[in-house]
Amino acid sequence: MTGKRHSSPLRAAGDLIVLFSHFAAKSPPVAIAPYGSGHIHETYRVRTRGRSDPGCILQRINTRVFPDVPRLMENIVRVTAHLRDKAPCNRPVLTVVPADDGRPFHRDGAGGFWRCFRFIGHREPGERFRGGRLAAEAGRRFGHFITQMADLPGPPLHETIRGFHDVDFHLGRFGDLLHADPAKRREGAATEIEFVRARAAGMRLIHDLGRAGRIPLRITHNDTKFNNILFDERGRGLCIIDLDTVMPGYVHYDFGDAIRSAANCACEDERALRKVGIDMRVFEEFTKGYLGELRGRLTAEETAHLAFAARLMTYMVGLRFLNDYLDGDRYFKTGRRGHNLQRARVHFRLLEDMERRSAAMEDIVSRLAVGTTS
Ligand code: ADP
Ligand code: GN1
Ligand code: MG
């Protein structure tokens, strides 16, 4: 393997306390510990003194993934201010805690970028949206996000990751990695490589429709994974987080990514592949929530390709995991050897199941879309 594998380093509590002291938080910290299961940043929960203070999230930003932190944070400040204007008072909005110099990030002595958010109390996310009720609520909340962002004032948001959902970009990278084989892993992934090749041609549909002006470019979240929405104990969707990739996109990216993440019967890195498959109840409930919330906003052409979007995003996320495996695990955090390859296998197994059930998925979308398009 070449290069450094991406996993969270161990940091001394004292160093974290010093870092946290650079943010204008309300109360002093009493404990700081790694938090959550995000694949990108180094995330800590900071508990503070004072019963009414929920504390903070302290994050070391992954600059390999987000090289331009000032622009990234400019987007987040704009998006959170806009969401705050729109949110009902009983729903929290992600809130940036500024650094003591007023900037939305702090730079440490080694050049690392840190940021801080107010902690939002929530129930444990689990591995996916178990049961239909959470799925329907998630669909409504992610649908509502599209509505909320539709009138963001000002210039377009920065593109924080180039080619993020451009399947051609990831296929190009796949070709380069196969050619260079930097981690000498190509041979061990022959089956998965073949799987990707066999399906590449059909995957450009959304991109092509966008280019042809047949579907509108909107402001989308682009990372609608199950743990990027926080729920309260009663199962009410409280807040959508992880706003790093909010930028222009197609609704298909949000819808498809939510389905591949939440409607899988197994975890994203499940070792027993026989457990992997699409949970049609979760698919149906999420779709119901999403289309119901976006009633009158989506075009017929957009809804016509939602079931395909689930297959596209399952393919693309699997491809990105496979690329990272071939590259020596430099993008996604990994916890064990072969982790990214296993994640790719899970996605490809899920895609096969979606292919088998594609007619049923199309039927569900068509039935639920009646009377909802603009
Ligand atoms: P990553 O890009 O690495 O997924 P996230 O911004 O999604 O980073 O944060 C990682 C995890 O930290 C989330 O999945 C969630 O569990 C938790 N988290 C992030 N922000 C907050 C917040 N403001 N309040 C509570 N938990 C949060
Ligand atoms: C990452 O950041 P996180 O863990 O919420 C990734 C998504 C992938 C997902 C796969 C910025 O999401 O695109 O779909 O892992 N985020 C980024 O689980 O690459
Ligand atoms: Mg996340």
Side-chain angles (χ1 to χ4, degrees):
M1 185 175 89
T2 55
K4 191 174 170 294
R5 205 186 63 166
H6 176 39
S7 54
S8 283
L10 288 173
R11 284 183 198 274
D15 293 347
L16 291 168
I17 288 174
V18 171
L19 281 160
F20 183 64
S21 72
H22 289 287
F23 291 94
K26 281 193 243 160
S27 343
V30 291
I32 306 188
Y35 191 78
S37 52
H39 288 344
I40 304 298
H41 305 294
E42 207 182 303
T43 302
Y44 300 90
R45 177 174 182 181
V46 183
R47 290 176 192 271
T48 49
R49 201 165 291 150
R51 282 211 180 144
S52 58
D53 184 356
C56 292
I57 285 283
L58 178 67
Q59 267 182 341
R60 184 175 193 275
I61 300 172
N62 182 334
T63 49
R64 188 192 286 250
V65 173
F66 297 102
D68 191 337
V69 174
R71 282 177 163 224
L72 168 75
M73 293 311 292
E74 191 182 310
N75 274 7
I76 292 202
V77 167
R78 277 181 68 196
V79 168
T80 51
H82 181 68
L83 291 173
R84 192 157 299 109
D85 276 352
K86 307 231 143 196
C89 53
N90 59 349
R91 297 214 201 231
V93 172
L94 189 68
T95 303
V96 176
V97 178
D100 41 19
D101 60 4
R103 291 190 300 176
F105 56 85
H106 164 74
R107 196 140 199 218
D108 67 22
F113 285 89
W114 294 79
R115 67 181 172 190
C116 185
F117 296 111
R118 296 225 163 284
F119 186 84
I120 298 165
H122 59 279
R123 73 193 247 166
E124 282 308 306
E127 286 295 344
R128 57 194 188 88
F129 301 143
R130 288 204 175 81
R133 207 165 68 85
L134 279 194
E137 174 71 352
R140 284 190 290 272
R141 303 313 308 160
F142 280 124
H144 190 57
F145 185 84
I146 299 287
T147 310
Q148 285 177 307
M149 294 310 298
D151 60 352
L152 177 78
L157 292 166
H158 302 297
E159 193 184 19
T160 53
I161 302 180
R162 211 167 51 89
F164 190 47
H165 289 322
D166 179 348
V167 73
D168 266 344
F169 175 84
H170 296 294
L171 284 167
R173 181 135 181 71
F174 176 65
D176 293 346
L177 285 162
L178 290 184
H179 182 70
D181 197 14
K184 301 280 169 278
R185 290 175 168 183
R186 191 178 53 195
E187 234 177 79
T191 311
E192 290 71 28
I193 290 168
E194 203 32 55
F195 186 96
V196 166
R197 282 189 174 137
R199 286 159 177 81
M203 292 296 166
R204 295 193 173 90
L205 179 65
I206 299 300
H207 210 242
D208 290 348
L209 290 172
R211 282 206 166 164
R214 288 175 57 186
I215 50 173
L217 197 59
R218 300 177 183 271
I219 298 178
T220 44
H221 183 282
N222 295 307
D223 193 355
T224 50
K225 183 172 168 174
F226 69 90
N227 62 6
N228 289 331
I229 175 168
L230 304 179
F231 292 94
D232 69 10
E233 293 302 332
R234 289 179 300 146
R236 203 174 56 126
L238 278 179
C239 180
I240 291 177
I241 58 165
D242 203 343
L243 305 177
D244 296 330
T245 52
V246 178
M247 54 187 169
Y250 301 109
V251 283
H252 306 88
Y253 301 154
D254 281 6
F255 180 85
D257 194 34
I259 297 303
R260 74 93 207 157
S261 146
N264 185 353
C265 297
C267 307
E268 189 178 76
D269 58 357
E270 175 62 58
R271 291 175 202 253
L273 288 179
R274 66 188 152 73
K275 293 188 186 162
V276 174
I278 177 153
D279 181 331
M280 293 297 276
R281 172 131 186 271
V282 169
F283 175 72
E284 176 155 0
E285 289 302 311
F286 184 92
T287 307
K288 201 183 283 172
Y290 199 73
L291 290 178
E293 187 64 36
L294 284 169
R295 182 173 292 276
R297 288 189 172 262
L298 299 187
T299 66
E301 184 89 56
E302 283 181 299
T303 53
H305 303 292
L306 288 178
F308 167 74
R311 302 199 292 280
L312 168 67
M313 294 308 285
T314 306
Y315 176 82
M316 191 150 37
V317 175
L319 168 61
R320 290 172 58 210
F321 280 133
L322 180 61
N323 278 349
D324 199 31
Y325 175 73
L326 295 170
D327 197 24
D329 307 321
R330 291 147 59 88
Y331 185 99
F332 297 105
K333 273 190 216 164
T334 52
R336 57 178 192 254
R337 229 185 129 66
H339 208 164
N340 274 320
L341 181 60
Q342 191 60 27
R343 289 163 170 162
R345 285 181 175 148
V346 167
H347 281 78
F348 297 156
R349 179 59 70 97
L350 179 62
L351 177 54
E352 281 177 331
D353 195 39
M354 288 180 180
E355 287 169 349
R356 270 191 295 274
R357 296 171 189 250
S358 68
M361 291 170 74
E362 301 282 357
D363 282 352
I364 288 173
V365 177
S366 313
R367 178 165 47 77
L368 295 172
V370 173
T372 63
T373 53
S374 60

